[in-house]
Amino acid sequence: MHERLREHALALPRSGFLVVLKLCQVLKSLAILLSLLLLCFGLWFPFVPAVLSARRTATAHRRAARRWSAVQIPEPYEPRPPAIEPQEDGRFKHGARLYRRRWWPQFLDNMTWLNRDRATARDILWMLVDPFVGLPLVLIGPALVLGGAAAIALPLLTLPIPAAVEVAGGVVAIAAGLALGAPLLRAHARWTRVLLAPESARAAVRSQRRTRWFIARGYALARPLILLGQSLGNLVVGLVTLVGVTLTGVVATPLLHAVRPLADLHRRQAHQWSGVHVPRPYRLPPEAPAQREDGMYEYGHRLYRTPAVPALRLRARSALRDPATWRDLGFLLLSPLLAVIPALATALFVLGIFGIAWPLPWRDHWAWGLTPWVAIPLGYAIALLAAAISAPLMRAHAACTSALLGPTATEREEQRTRAITETRPESTWAESTELRRVERDLHDGAQARLVAIGMALSNIEFLIDSDPDQAKALAAGTRAASVTALGELRSLVRSIHPPVLSERGLGDALKALALDLPLTTHVTVDLPGSLEPPVESAAYFAGAELLSNAIRHGDADETWIDLRHERGTLTLSVLDDGRGGADPTRGTGLTGIQRRIAVFDGTLQVTSPTGGPTKAVIGIPCALLPPR
Amino acid sequence: MRIVIAEDLHLLRDGLSLVLSTRGYEIVAAVGSGPELRAALDEHRPDLAIVDVRLPPTYTDEGIKIALEARRKHANLPVLVLSQHVEQLYARELLADGTGGIGYLLKDRVMGGNQFIEAVTCVAGGGTVMDPDVITKLMARNTKRDAVAALTPREQDILTLMAEGLSNTAIADRLVVSEGAVSKHTTNIFLKLDIPQSNDANRRVLAVLAYLDGRRTD
């Protein structure tokens, strides 16, 4: 009880403090906007100090949420890069250059560090959005109390209504301000968590259904702005490519390939934002030009001494003949029009909130001469309607993207035949070694045992009448042999493809594996779909190898396994409390993992200082398929 | 006793039916797919269902899913799950509802003759039977725990057998000792591990499994 009273009493000064903090934050947001603007012109010096100062504000907010509202918001930032140490000659090495002073290479390091950290973008977004959400939340309490106090203290000066009514109103306002202060402060802390917590911590919040709805609508309303921005860039790139190819012919055709990453970005967005899977429709790149017997390279009727020009022309020809290229260009040119579709919802939302529900400060009246009683509900109703149609409109946009950027029926058919006939020379070697191992295991193990069982059975047949006792003993032995053979087959099957993987998918297969290990494991899985079977299998065996390393070499007692799919990448990280010192360049285990996942363009990062802990992270770019 | 069998491989299905019917059990239905199993359970309301984990049409974990679903629908229908491989993950899911009448065995055990029949009787009677493979792995994970390490080798053997679902009589048979000796050992084990002792055989199994699995019992 005492605690509650204290919280209510302190809520007001705390809110007041936050209001002041946020007013400074508004200035900082302007500075950040300016630095982002300068960034567009290549002036990136102000970016680092602007982001760092935003981090300080964000950290103050996290601390306030933790101390005052018991809302834990862990720091999401990557660790700061270490200070660059001077070499023996006193100079500082950065990349392939040496510097006489430290600050410049250090500045470059900081820039990369901030740029790579996903939390940076969220911090900036928060700085820009918070004045519209966080500020009102903390302002309401103090405003009510101060307004109420003013009404009581200066009853005769302010309004032409009876003093008693005004005093009563003032008392009510103060009471409301005091009562609302603490809950609003808590709401503010929860809002702070939405953008300022690391993604893992936000996942817990996201899983609550109501929050998820609001967050999904928020994204669906904000993303059209990104699309609009992108579409202007697309238009420029599309026009330049089209004009370049028309005017210069072959010379500009590399541009046709440069367009593809842009199209890929839209394909990824359609998948991540609206769940519309858009496969790449392109034909295979042409084969490298073959060398003739006289050492020359041929293209058309001409001979070339080096393969560079024929290769370029081959690429150009294949790009020009691929209908997908022209659909890409069409999409780029049309994308401003397409982006308007989802942007309608955003425009409607802005109109509802800022055009109708809020009287614009510079126009002293409500929109269309409405009274506040009509304008406020109408404005919010329009905003709600906009939020409701935002997701369907985003899906409509994704459908247009899919129609233009996805493969046509014929291309789909072509791709399928290609996939069947395609061979993968880089993995066949590993495959054949694996097959030989399986053959040897079967030959020396289960197969031999079955032969022995067959022989024993024929002996039993022979003995069953003459010596039933010996026949019985032999039967028991045979049964034991069959059990052993089964056990061997089972472990062989597990080493080829663990049954749980086919039955439950990667997440549960890792959980099952963890349960079989003689150490404490904590497994978290965030995989709202299934994966291509080859990726699944590679990730499973890579994880199994990492875990067995942790036990065999690291001497670990406890491991943490985390599996998630985010931004088109499957990430599997294994952390253990062992003694560390693992080196990915040595040891066959880690290189084996690298070879296994390289087929899928996967990466393996290992940090393992001597003394531990060891953290290994596997990243495999892949699509998330619907749950099986 | 009326039994429903679900197993997609014809040879194994017939083998199972033969093993059980020669010992006087009544096989009311022997089916080969998930949907058929569901229909057979609804129609016959058997005393026991023997179910393969992997069944058509999906060939994933259809068997376990239908078994758990049927247990919710038909008041804890006793289910004996058979599989080519055993996983602690599945064992955990099968045991999660904390009631008896559940068994989880490798298909190899069917060859074990009497032991398989004992398991069938035990599960049908509301008991719990876990495959020795599951228990061996559970024990391996627990040997680092001080309390388990403090048990004598004989007590560890008995703990293993208790976890597999054997009664005192069966344990005494298996280890060729008197039943009195076994019950003395079990009392010691419960004291050392601080597990609530219970006279109900099935609650005892569940408590031991929960302890080994690191879960808490209520």
Side-chain angles (χ1 to χ4, degrees), chain A residues 127 143 205 327 332 366 409 489 500 531 553:
Chain A
M127 288 291 280
V205 180
R327 289 204 308 275
L332 292 190
W366 298 79
L489 277 176
V500 204
L531 302 164
H553 307 306

Side-chain angles (χ1 to χ4, degrees), chain A residues 490 503-504 515-517, chain B residues 61 84 88 90 93 141:
Chain A
R490 203 158 28 240
E503 288 166 7
R504 290 286 182 87
L515 282 175
D516 283 350
L517 296 175
Chain B
D61 57 346
Q84 299 270 37
Q88 292 187 61
Y90 294 173
E93 286 170 17
R141 259 203 310 159

Side-chain angles (χ1 to χ4, degrees), chain A residues 31-32 34-36 38-39 43-52 107:
Chain A
I32 282 187
L34 191 67
S35 82
L36 285 177
L38 290 176
L39 204 61
L43 291 171
W44 37 276
F45 306 100
F47 183 69
V48 172
V51 169
L52 284 178
F107 184 83

